[in-house]
Amino acid sequence: MSESGLPCVEGLFSAEDGVATLHGSKCTGCNTPYFPRSEACHNPDCTGSNIVDFDFGGSGTLWSYSVADFPPPPPHKFDKPFAPYAIGVVDMECGLRLIGQMVDKAEDVKVDAKVELVIDTLYHEDDVAYSSWKFKQI
Amino acid sequence: MQEVAVIGVGMHRFGKTGDDIVGTKSVGSLCRTAVDAALKDAGVNWKQIQAVAAASSRFSGGKGWGLNGNDVVEDLGSTGIPVYNMSAGCAAGGNAFNVGYSMVAGGVYDMMLVVGGEVMPKGMIQTSGVEEATDPEFLRQRCIGMPGPSFWSTLARRRMFEYGTTEEQFSQVAVKARKCSVHNPMARFQKEITVEDVMNSPYVSNPLRLFQICPVSNGAAAAIICSKEYAKKFTSKPITVASSTVATMTFNDMLPRGLADPMTECANLHTEAQNAVANAFEKSGIGPGDVSFTELQDNTCYYELAFPEEWGLCEAGESESLLMAGETTPTGRMPINPSGGFVSFGEATTAMGVFQIAELTWQLRGQAGGRQVPDAKVGLAQTLGLGGNATAAILKR
């Protein structure tokens, strides 16, 4: 984490000792992970639907990415002047295909690259840094 | 079940707030024009309409935009008929058509109006504006910032990675679409463009450029449907609804709609669309090989390449070569979006499913002028809405 601050949305993730942890859930019946937490299992072949908390982090492979060349409309928040950023779709080792901003510059991002989860600043408001999870190419 | 027919269609030309086409017209005014045209086309008067299936976007509430079918009825004359307001994002028009179809097929009503229309807020489509952590769309925009174009761009980039699709090929889809739109008096854009024009338009979300993405538009479309038996009173050449379906995505889908999606062995990214189209084929007994032309939801040119493959209209990885050989033009082997598509119309969200029904009807009647698919016998239409829902319809003459 580049600076101390607050998460952009409470309860979704945390960063301790520099390690990014996302707080999801998992069905113990069929082992399906969810993020954010799901209250029920979405697998129609799973009769258990026994959901427990599931924390994950770690690394994955970049399935694809795009670039936000224009500022997205609210409720997105960003520091001005707007700087284009890359958005990654990552196949995580924990079994989730997860979306997040990339820390890397758009021109450096490559499909199929190995990436890891980090927590990084998303925007500032009233001198407070608000953070989110992002991907960083390894 | 009774057979259902389309006997009249109408549209208000699509445009942008403030332009010469739609100016400052309200959604009610746009819908009235479309409905009047559909009634006239059908030879039906307003009082003969027994119920309305309206594509509604009022779920986006609080922003002062969106269609409420009740208002359309008031404007046309408060006859007290039932209105079903269907809210399904970009699939709302297709949903409304399916509800109308199902009720007529089931014998609940003899004749119904299906209508969709929109006056869209400027810029990229926004979420509800309610900051609620249980709303996956809010989370995606706050935590990441990934509006529609960036979502589509990840799909386009993946296709480039898997199939070697080039930016010029995405551009060629737009060029082909605009060439059709020249002959469509209802399209917002009616001028031809070149590959250079598209490649010179700015990236909205790399790798997709401005002319490869549909903008938001204002517009409206309407269709009058009735039982095939009842249709005989009005026309000797009704267009038959071979099937109309609604579907949602299945668990094994691999495209995250929110923040993340569990990974499975399934390669399909749009199971809702695939399910809707597959069900439409199954219910009608019509196969991909019987389809004369397709109107699919091309929010971006990417979909024109991916969808035909996912539905079995062509082989996986074949779309680019068909495109470059001109086979997706109205006179080709696999015509896609002879109307000019969303890329030429812009998206007036709830109108789109009904806009497709209008185009299918005109094509099947042989009234499509310079964009006519020769001897069109069977048309396939498809919409896709936020949150994993989709619709399909197959019409035949």
Side-chain angles (χ1 to χ4, degrees):
Chain A
M1 206 162 159
S2 57
E3 57 191 317
S4 59
L6 297 171
C8 65
V9 174
E10 286 287 342
L12 285 176
F13 59 88
S14 55
E16 280 172 34
D17 303 326
V19 178
T21 304
L22 271 61
H23 306 305
S25 63
K26 192 172 208 165
C27 174
T28 58
C30 64
N31 237 7
T32 303
Y34 296 97
F35 179 74
R37 291 185 183 99
S38 174
E39 288 181 15
C41 183
H42 301 173
N43 182 355
D45 297 323
C46 174
T47 51
S49 195
N50 186 19
I51 301 289
V52 296
D53 284 348
F54 169 61
D55 286 351
F56 67 96
S59 58
T61 305
L62 194 71
W63 180 78
S64 188
Y65 73 97
S66 62
V67 183
D69 288 291
F70 285 91
H76 186 64
K77 294 184 175 181
F78 57 91
D79 287 339
K80 287 164 189 154
F82 174 77
Y85 54 87
I87 301 157
V89 182
V90 172
D91 289 348
M92 298 292 295
E93 279 163 1
C94 71
L96 280 171
R97 181 167 283 176
L98 175 70
I99 305 175
Q101 278 196 17
M102 303 289 301
V103 169
D104 308 83
K105 283 183 183 164
E107 53 268 33
D108 298 332
V109 178
K110 296 267 182 292
V111 177
D112 228 20
K114 294 281 173 213
V115 302
E116 63 181 358
L117 264 178
V118 297
I119 304 297
D120 189 41
T121 300
L122 195 63
Y123 64 94
H124 293 79
E125 203 168 66
D126 300 329
D127 293 328
V128 178
Y130 288 88
S131 62
S132 188
W133 70 91
K134 296 186 186 180
F135 299 112
K136 187 170 185 266
Q137 292 192 149
I138 302 171
Chain B
M1 293 279 279
Q2 354 183 40
E3 270 203 296
V4 178
V6 178
I7 60 167
V9 291
M11 247 191 246
H12 189 294
R13 186 183 165 192
F14 282 41
K16 178 186 180 181
T17 299
D19 69 8
D20 293 338
I21 306 166
V22 296
T24 56
K25 285 182 187 176
S26 67
V27 65
S29 167
L30 298 176
C31 285
R32 202 162 58 243
T33 300
V35 175
D36 282 341
L39 290 168
K40 192 177 169 203
D41 187 41
V44 166
N45 73 60
W46 170 242
K47 286 190 174 177
Q48 290 173 291
I49 300 295
Q50 297 168 354
V52 178
S56 173
S57 51
R58 278 289 170 90
F59 74 99
S60 302
K63 302 185 82 70
W65 65 289
L67 174 64
N68 183 340
N70 308 26
D71 299 340
V72 177
V73 171
E74 266 192 48
D75 278 357
L76 288 154
S78 296
T79 52
I81 55 173
V83 175
Y84 303 91
N85 284 298
M86 306 310 301
S87 160
C90 304
N95 243 281
F97 182 75
N98 178 263
V99 166
Y101 163 81
S102 302
M103 292 194 131
V104 173
V108 180
Y109 303 108
D110 293 317
M111 190 185 293
M112 284 182 74
L113 162 69
V114 181
V115 62
E118 208 77 78
V119 169
M120 296 290 283
K122 276 189 199 166
M124 297 186 207
I125 295 176
Q126 294 183 29
T127 49
S128 66
V130 179
E131 300 201 355
E132 174 55 64
T134 55
D135 175 6
E137 191 58 23
F138 164 73
L139 291 180
R140 194 168 68 167
Q141 300 313 334
R142 172 59 55 83
C143 301
I144 303 162
M146 189 191 201
S150 293
F151 179 75
W152 302 323
S153 280
T154 59
L155 292 163
R157 172 105 48 205
R158 182 67 194 182
R159 189 171 179 92
M160 293 166 81
F161 178 77
E162 283 184 9
Y163 294 109
T165 312
T166 63
E167 292 188 40
E168 284 77 8
Q169 286 169 331
F170 287 128
S171 300
Q172 182 59 36
V173 177
V175 170
K176 189 268 307 172
R178 290 289 195 89
K179 202 163 186 168
C180 293
S181 76
V182 171
H183 305 287
N184 195 336
M186 293 297 158
R188 172 171 159 189
F189 305 114
Q190 298 181 10
K191 281 187 184 150
E192 277 195 55
I193 50 173
T194 64
V195 169
E196 291 70 36
D197 292 335
V198 184
M199 292 300 289
N200 286 331
S201 68
Y203 283 123
V204 173
S205 183
N206 186 328
L208 293 177
R209 295 173 183 275
L210 189 62
F211 290 179
Q212 297 162 342
I213 289 174
C214 82
V216 294
S217 281
N218 302 352
I224 312 294
I225 60 172
C226 66
S227 66
K228 194 111 180 252
E229 195 54 37
Y230 203 69
K232 288 177 185 165
K233 293 183 187 180
F234 303 95
T235 174
S236 58
K237 287 181 181 172
I239 299 303
T240 304
V241 184
S243 59
S244 162
T245 59
V246 175
T248 50
M249 63 179 175
T250 29
F251 176 68
N252 58 5
D253 196 284
M254 280 287 276
L255 183 63
R257 268 72 174 185
L259 301 178
D261 197 53
M263 286 161 60
T264 64
E265 295 301 313
C266 173
N268 198 295
L269 302 169
H270 314 100
T271 51
E272 67 276 62
Q274 191 182 34
N275 291 338
V277 172
N279 291 347
F281 281 141
E282 194 186 324
K283 285 187 176 169
S284 62
I286 287 170
D290 305 317
V291 172
S292 312
F293 68 100
T294 301
E295 284 286 326
L296 57 78
Q297 184 165 331
D298 61 322
N299 286 111
T300 157
C301 294
Y302 158 82
Y303 287 122
E304 257 203 59
L305 302 175
F307 280 159
E309 297 176 0
E310 292 177 8
W311 306 339
L313 294 173
C314 66
E315 299 295 321
E318 197 188 3
S319 284
E320 284 79 358
S321 57
L322 288 170
L323 165 77
M324 299 315 282
E327 301 291 3
T328 58
T329 64
T331 53
R333 273 196 290 137
M334 188 183 75
I336 306 288
N337 292 359
S339 68
F342 287 31
V343 166
S344 304
F345 273 73
E347 184 171 11
T349 311
T350 60
M352 305 319 282
V354 194
F355 139 81
Q356 292 178 334
I357 297 299
E359 178 65 12
L360 261 58
T361 302
W362 286 324
Q363 287 284 350
L364 294 169
R365 285 175 179 167
Q367 297 175 331
R371 66 182 194 283
Q372 180 68 45
V373 173
D375 196 32
K377 290 189 175 71
V378 174
L380 168 66
Q382 168 271 342
T383 68
L384 183 74
L386 182 70
N389 64 96
T391 71
I394 296 175
L395 270 56
K396 62 181 183 184
R397 69 173 154 99

